[in-house]
Amino acid sequence: MNWHTNLIVNDQRYTFIDLAKVAADFNAELKRLPYSIRVLLESVARHQDEEITAVYLDYLVNWNAEQPTGVVPFKPERVVLQDFTGVPAVVDLAAMRDAIVALGGNADTINPEIPVTLVVDHSVQVDCAGTPEAVAFNTAREFERNQERYQFLKWAQDSFDNFEVVPPETGIIHQVNIESLSDVILEKKIAGEPFLFPDTLQGTDSHTTMINGLGVLGWGVGGIEAEAAILGEPSFFPTPEVIGVCFVNEMPAGTTATDLALTVTEVLRKEQVVGKFVEYFGTGYQRLSLADRATLANMAPEYGATCGFCPIDEETLNYLATTGRTPELIHKVAAYTKANHLFYDATEIPDYTKTVTIDLAKIQPALAGPKRPQDRILLPEVGTDFDRSLTADIGPKGFGLSEKEWQKSSQVNWPNEPSETLQTGDIVLAAITSCTNTSNPFVMLSAGLLAKKAVEKGLTVPKSVKTSLAPGSQIVTTYLTASGLLPYLEQLGFYLVGYGCTTCIGNSGPLEAPVAEAIENENLLVASVLSGNRNFEGRIHPQIKANYLASPPLVVAYAIAGTIRKDLTKEPLGVVAGQEIYLADIWPSNEEVNEYIQAFVGPEAFRAAYAHLFDANERWNRIDTTASDCYAWEDTSTYIAHPPYFDSLTKELPIQTSLSDLKVLAKLGDSVTTDHISPAGSIGLDSPAGRFLQTKAVPYREFNSFGSRRGNHHIMMRGTFGNIRLQNQLVPGSTGGITHYFPTGETMSIYDAAMNYQKNEQSCIILAGKDYGMGSSRDWAAKGTQLLGVKVVLAESFERIHRSNLVMMGVIPLEYLAGQTAASLGLDGSESFFIQLPEEPQVNQQIDVTAKRTDETMITFPTRLRFDAPADIRYWKHQGILPMVIRKKIEAGGTSNAF
């Protein structure tokens, strides 16, 4: 069918897929469709082929808001990677080249078919903070630690097509993506015609959703799914419900986008939007700056949605101008989106599955914590909420301690300086970090102005608080320097420590030794406050159990206060010369902040910051590599290793292994995150991974982090289910990566138990509660699960990305039916499991599971097979998507003469 229409822009004739023509052919009303569904519709229409047929178009163009049907085949236009997840993805691509050569194929058939950008932003650690030398020291250490990884990435850059790397010391992937990488509307030659179409993407970081603030549809996926997209495979997912969030009124003075994002996260978690699209609209939406929208879109993983889409409007065009995009591009974006019904029209509200109204006038300052981003606490209640959490039962809002904890204290013995007293609830880490907030000039300049007023009033930060500033791009330090506000942040200890994720990803570095000793001496429960988006247990710092998300100005305020137990709305931040100084005394007005934005945030600064995006880092430029078809693996490397996924790969489909007599490797509760399953932070000296590194003569100082060693499966397997806060119910009362090994009755590490089961040719199962796999789009949470011999995960519910990752690694996700749980069925984890999976399973089929207890009695119960699309069944038959891709390449003729 001919759905093409011509458009003249900047004196150039373009062709595009006309959504109105598509809708007319299906007798559908385009204006009914949410804008995010329209973007999917355009993509599916443009990619029509033997696999992506008109059937899928029908699911979208006749989208049923109340009950969408069918599945969507999505082929993004580009992929973005960060280095923690990007390195293992590139390792897999390199291993796939070896595998296809071993089967007689050509290495160069494994090449990116769409543009891929990897941003090195997760490797810098805050080893040094609070001094002018911090950034130089940390970046030097970063290159020392990561030379092998960076050498590998430079090889990939030279050896793969369509692959580019943004080097370290540049910025965070999502901020670089929204400020520079995305053109919103793309163009390329299709059948000789210059075509216009929307930018869409997938990224190997769950916060890829930030790009939706720019009106670009995209979301986070695991590295496995990203690799498939890179190699031209569509990803299939159920046609989404779309929850419309209508904003009315405007935010009051004294509140920030962070406060709004925390409110939306709390509201939408209760609305159970997991696996759904969220789309913003309303009169209040039009009043939000694009930076505020980006903050909201960034937090989509925290409220559980696939994306939080912000339709393109005049504010989008203003942002493109502010960030230095060319007038020609801005004109193209405006002309195309208006011509193709993708430009926001306030007079026509699409159909939504459900509409949630949020009154912006009711937003209040807040934090979230102490363990989850959806647990919002209004600013006046933070101290009392912390006190309640101390004695509350162990869980997302409780630490299960006695009331004696309130009175605990410990001495911080500084050499050659007076000692300090550290008490329960004192803050020992305050970090302005993460793409969520550092891409927002309003909150960053608010922090700078608050710091200025605090310094002028004589306020200081206690020495025991580790302070850091890790912006998402160099534009932040550009405008903080030009405005004269950076020196005030520095006087309070917020010196630049690097451009990267740092504290939010767990790269917070060590606390100063006297502080660390004081915490350990009394097992003191202390706190951190950070402007990030994640505060899961064990993520921020191993010695800090209570972690709170806050806006950058509140991070500065709490650093000054020195404790989480104060009510900053009533109690003074500090006393100077007998005068009590309150938060209200130093909080900047909206007018002040906006004056600074107008004066110091503009296109020239952005153009300068991004002029040499790919070649500004001299250390990176000096790394010498040679391009080659296949990578020369080094057996001695502890960072990069040839993965075992393709060791037994054959051209034929494998015979599926038995799902009989599965042993429970771990029995877990609700809200188990991918951080619990595959931690990204520090490697413990006495952990299985730490012991492995010691056998390789790696000194403890060079252990680096799990995140940086994701290219080595030997280490990552040993870290799977290794989070120090994991609570495995097979060992009641315990924390950490240990389990009960049933054949001998011993308690041992989960890794050691898994290896013992494998020696005995015994497969395993994981039992879990609700929201299993929430959090980061961490491919190693699925890869490690598979390599430990886990064939099935049985949970009450799954987070979207992790369920997909498990399927793509050949692990079967099963879900209890509504109303059933391990507890209701009387399962304690000592059982052996038998699963009746047919040779030709169906999407969401009901599957019987039989559990044999130790007394030989049996219980059989139905479960839901979480194969959500026919593609999931194909992945399982191939025992993973990557083996499937190799077989498809071979079948398509990507072979040498020898084959």
Side-chain angles (χ1 to χ4, degrees):
M1 296 181 182
N2 186 8
W3 299 317
H4 294 179
T5 290
N6 294 326
L7 178 69
I8 304 296
V9 187
N10 302 324
D11 298 325
Q12 169 71 52
R13 178 180 171 274
Y14 294 99
T15 302
F16 66 92
I17 295 290
D18 191 330
L19 294 178
K21 288 184 177 181
V22 177
D25 268 359
F26 284 82
N27 298 313
E29 279 190 280
L30 187 62
K31 66 181 182 181
R32 290 181 43 254
L33 300 181
Y35 292 92
S36 51
I37 295 295
R38 297 180 201 185
V39 175
L40 286 178
L41 177 63
E42 191 281 338
S43 175
V44 173
R46 183 163 37 85
H47 287 113
Q48 291 283 286
D49 60 17
E50 292 181 359
E51 186 173 17
I52 302 176
T53 64
V55 171
Y56 298 110
L57 274 178
D58 189 54
Y59 296 143
L60 292 169
V61 76
N62 289 308
W63 180 77
N64 182 336
E66 292 184 6
Q67 194 169 7
T69 58
V71 295
V72 179
F74 182 58
K75 295 187 81 168
E77 301 307 323
R78 60 192 180 94
V79 166
V80 292
L81 313 171
Q82 40 94 330
D83 57 302
F84 267 16
T85 49
V87 166
V90 179
V91 165
D92 289 351
L93 293 176
M96 289 175 77
R97 281 191 166 184
D98 292 344
I100 204 165
V101 168
L103 291 175
N106 288 328
D108 62 5
T109 59
I110 303 298
N111 245 322
E113 297 187 12
I114 56 176
V116 179
T117 306
L118 186 148
V119 181
V120 182
D121 64 351
H122 276 51
S123 295
V124 62
Q125 299 185 37
V126 190
D127 294 290
C128 179
T131 73
E133 296 78 27
V135 64
F137 183 91
N138 293 332
T139 52
R141 284 289 291 134
E142 176 188 356
F143 271 84
E144 288 173 20
R145 288 188 177 112
N146 295 285
Q147 189 68 24
E148 290 179 47
R149 299 170 70 239
Y150 294 170
Q151 188 93 23
F152 176 68
L153 290 177
K154 282 292 288 283
W155 168 83
Q157 182 176 258
D158 295 340
S159 302
F160 286 109
D161 298 333
N162 287 326
F163 184 84
E164 58 188 3
V165 179
V166 176
E169 300 180 66
T170 304
I172 293 173
I173 179 173
H174 316 302
Q175 191 162 343
V176 173
N177 195 17
I178 200 168
E179 291 177 353
S180 177
L181 296 179
S182 178
D183 285 342
V184 183
I185 299 302
L186 306 178
E187 65 172 90
K188 70 178 177 181
K189 289 282 184 73
I190 299 179
E193 292 278 337
F195 244 77
L196 292 181
F197 50 92
D199 183 19
T200 57
L201 71 148
Q202 290 178 332
T204 58
D205 190 293
S206 48
H207 295 102
T208 300
T209 53
M210 186 173 183
I211 199 65
N212 289 271
L214 197 58
V216 173
L217 187 64
W219 51 82
V221 295
I224 312 116
E225 190 171 351
E227 292 161 41
I230 289 168
L231 295 169
E233 288 292 315
S235 65
F236 290 80
F237 58 93
T239 305
E241 297 180 12
V242 183
I243 307 302
V245 175
C246 178
F247 289 134
V248 297
N249 298 318
E250 56 185 322
M251 289 169 55
T255 58
T256 68
T258 314
D259 303 317
L260 173 60
L262 294 178
T263 301
V264 169
T265 298
E266 179 186 49
V267 170
L268 292 184
R269 268 288 167 187
K270 292 176 182 176
E271 291 289 340
Q272 298 182 326
V273 299
V274 172
K276 303 174 185 179
F277 282 16
V278 165
E279 187 167 295
Y280 298 106
F281 70 102
T283 55
Y285 169 73
Q286 293 175 278
R287 294 189 181 101
L288 292 177
S289 71
L290 197 130
D292 289 352
R293 297 175 187 180
T295 304
L296 280 175
N298 182 287
M299 291 287 280
E302 279 62 58
Y303 44 83
T306 301
C307 62
F309 191 75
C310 300
I312 295 166
D313 64 0
E314 292 295 339
E315 175 59 19
T316 316
L317 305 180
N318 294 337
Y319 182 81
L320 292 175
T322 298
T323 51
R325 268 69 164 215
T326 65
E328 292 77 16
L329 173 64
I330 297 167
H331 186 201
K332 187 193 304 179
V333 171
Y336 170 80
T337 54
K338 290 174 181 177
N340 210 17
H341 309 279
L342 293 171
F343 198 85
Y344 181 73
D345 183 351
T347 66
E348 292 185 343
I349 299 175
D351 292 347
Y352 290 110
T353 305
K354 182 177 183 178
T355 298
V356 177
T357 300
I358 294 178
D359 186 349
L360 298 182
K362 294 182 179 179
I363 301 301
Q364 301 178 60
L367 279 70
K371 301 180 185 182
R372 298 190 306 182
Q374 63 262 44
D375 295 327
R376 185 175 67 108
I377 315 159
L378 295 179
L379 186 59
E381 301 167 7
V382 172
T384 54
D385 185 88
F386 173 79
D387 285 350
R388 282 194 299 270
S389 73
L390 279 180
T391 55
D393 291 342
I394 293 176
K397 291 290 290 183
F399 295 102
L401 301 173
S402 71
E403 294 186 4
K404 293 179 181 178
E405 201 73 23
W406 292 332
Q407 281 74 49
K408 285 176 70 172
S409 64
S410 185
Q411 289 300 112
V412 181
N413 298 310
W414 298 107
N416 306 317
E417 291 186 49
S419 63
E420 286 181 274
T421 300
L422 205 59
Q423 297 178 303
T424 299
D426 278 359
I427 291 166
V428 295
L429 189 152
I432 299 175
T433 184
S434 171
C435 47
T436 311
N437 291 287
T438 62
S439 61
N440 192 319
F442 187 92
V443 294
M444 294 302 292
L445 288 166
S446 294
L449 283 165
L450 186 141
K452 179 176 185 291
K453 294 171 185 284
V455 169
E456 288 171 347
K457 289 187 176 293
L459 291 170
T460 59
V461 172
K463 184 176 174 60
S464 56
V465 181
K466 181 175 184 176
T467 47
S468 61
L469 170 64
S473 80
Q474 295 182 10
I475 189 67
V476 177
T477 43
T478 297
Y479 63 66
L480 284 176
T481 301
S483 65
L485 296 178
L486 187 59
Y488 294 105
L489 284 164
E490 291 174 341
Q491 286 185 62
L492 295 177
F494 289 93
Y495 284 89
L496 178 68
V497 296
Y499 297 97
C501 293
T502 63
T503 301
C504 193
I505 191 61
N507 285 353
S508 50
L511 300 174
E512 290 208 51
V515 177
E517 290 167 9
I519 295 169
E520 292 297 325
N521 287 343
E522 296 295 334
N523 193 21
L524 207 59
L525 199 157
V526 291
S528 78
V529 59
L530 65 148
S531 65
N533 43 37
R534 293 271 165 82
N535 56 339
F536 300 134
E537 288 183 287
R539 179 183 179 103
I540 305 305
H541 191 282
Q543 291 181 294
I544 305 173
K545 296 178 182 177
N547 301 283
Y548 292 85
L549 306 182
S551 66
L554 283 179
V555 169
V556 178
Y558 270 100
I560 294 168
T563 178
I564 205 69
R565 297 179 72 177
K566 274 189 179 181
D567 177 357
L568 298 194
T569 66
K570 294 179 180 177
E571 298 178 66
L573 292 175
V575 179
V576 179
Q579 181 183 1
E580 294 181 335
I581 312 294
Y582 292 83
L583 180 61
D585 298 330
I586 61 172
W587 192 270
S589 68
N590 286 4
E591 292 74 19
E592 285 178 278
V593 180
N594 285 323
E595 284 178 12
Y596 272 75
I597 291 175
Q598 291 298 317
F600 301 106
V601 182
E604 291 306 319
F606 277 91
R607 290 191 191 108
Y610 285 106
H612 297 280
L613 181 61
F614 297 102
D615 60 9
N617 190 305
E618 288 304 320
R619 282 195 187 97
W620 176 264
N621 295 339
R622 287 195 296 269
I623 297 175
D624 186 32
T625 58
T626 302
S628 59
D629 284 343
C630 292
Y631 184 67
W633 306 93
E634 295 182 17
D635 292 339
T636 57
S637 174
T638 57
Y639 279 96
I640 307 296
H642 193 291
Y645 314 126
F646 314 113
D647 286 354
S648 57
L649 183 69
T650 60
K651 296 176 214 172
E652 300 78 21
L653 283 177
I655 298 172
Q656 296 301 330
T657 55
S658 170
L659 297 176
S660 298
D661 198 23
L662 303 180
K663 298 300 184 184
V664 179
L665 187 60
K667 183 174 182 288
L668 308 169
D670 295 340
S671 299
V672 171
T673 71
T674 50
D675 280 87
H676 287 113
I677 305 168
S678 181
S682 59
I683 300 173
L685 186 64
D686 196 35
S687 67
R691 291 193 291 273
F692 173 82
L693 286 171
Q694 290 175 70
T695 67
K696 301 297 180 181
V698 178
Y700 184 53
R701 183 174 180 270
E702 303 300 329
F703 272 18
N704 213 331
S705 64
F706 279 113
S708 65
R709 290 188 179 274
R710 284 182 185 165
N712 189 308
H713 62 279
H714 299 292
I715 294 163
M716 299 309 296
M717 287 171 62
R718 287 164 171 80
T720 303
F721 297 105
N723 188 301
I724 59 173
R725 304 293 176 214
L726 184 77
Q727 294 173 351
N728 183 359
Q729 296 169 11
L730 296 184
V731 189
S734 70
T735 57
I738 59 174
T739 195
H740 183 85
Y741 181 60
F742 289 100
T744 64
E746 296 174 84
T747 296
M748 63 180 65
S749 75
I750 288 177
Y751 170 78
D752 288 337
M755 294 303 101
N756 286 341
Y757 282 127
Q758 288 193 26
K759 286 176 188 174
N760 297 326
E761 298 184 346
Q762 190 96 45
S763 296
C764 292
I765 185 172
I766 298 290
L767 304 183
K770 298 181 182 69
D771 296 330
Y772 182 75
M774 65 186 296
S776 299
S777 56
R778 195 157 295 166
D779 61 336
W780 260 107
K783 288 177 176 177
T785 298
Q786 187 241 43
L787 290 177
L788 290 185
V790 174
K791 300 298 182 184
V792 177
V793 177
L794 173 57
E796 293 176 47
S797 64
F798 290 89
E799 198 81 345
R800 176 188 65 86
I801 297 175
H802 187 59
R803 184 214 65 85
S804 176
N805 284 349
L806 288 172
V807 173
M808 289 182 172
M809 287 304 298
V811 178
I812 298 169
L814 294 180
E815 205 165 82
Y816 296 102
L817 298 190
Q820 291 189 339
T821 65
S824 73
L825 294 167
L827 305 175
D828 63 13
S830 64
E831 303 84 3
S832 296
F833 286 80
F834 300 78
I835 297 167
Q836 306 301 316
L837 197 66
E839 288 186 17
E840 296 294 335
Q842 303 299 309
V843 169
N844 290 148
Q845 183 176 359
Q846 191 166 297
I847 298 293
D848 283 342
V849 173
T850 298
K852 183 171 76 172
R853 300 187 176 97
T854 53
D855 63 3
E856 301 296 316
T857 60
M858 305 276 197
I859 175 174
T860 298
F861 54 95
T863 64
R864 182 72 59 207
L865 176 63
R866 284 300 308 275
F867 288 168
D868 289 357
D872 289 349
I873 300 169
R874 292 200 297 272
Y875 304 153
W876 172 73
K877 286 183 175 181
H878 284 270
Q879 292 189 345
I881 191 170
L882 301 184
M884 186 192 81
V885 170
I886 291 175
R887 292 187 180 104
K888 284 183 69 172
K889 295 286 186 185
I890 290 287
E891 188 177 341
T895 61
S896 67
N897 294 330
F899 177 59

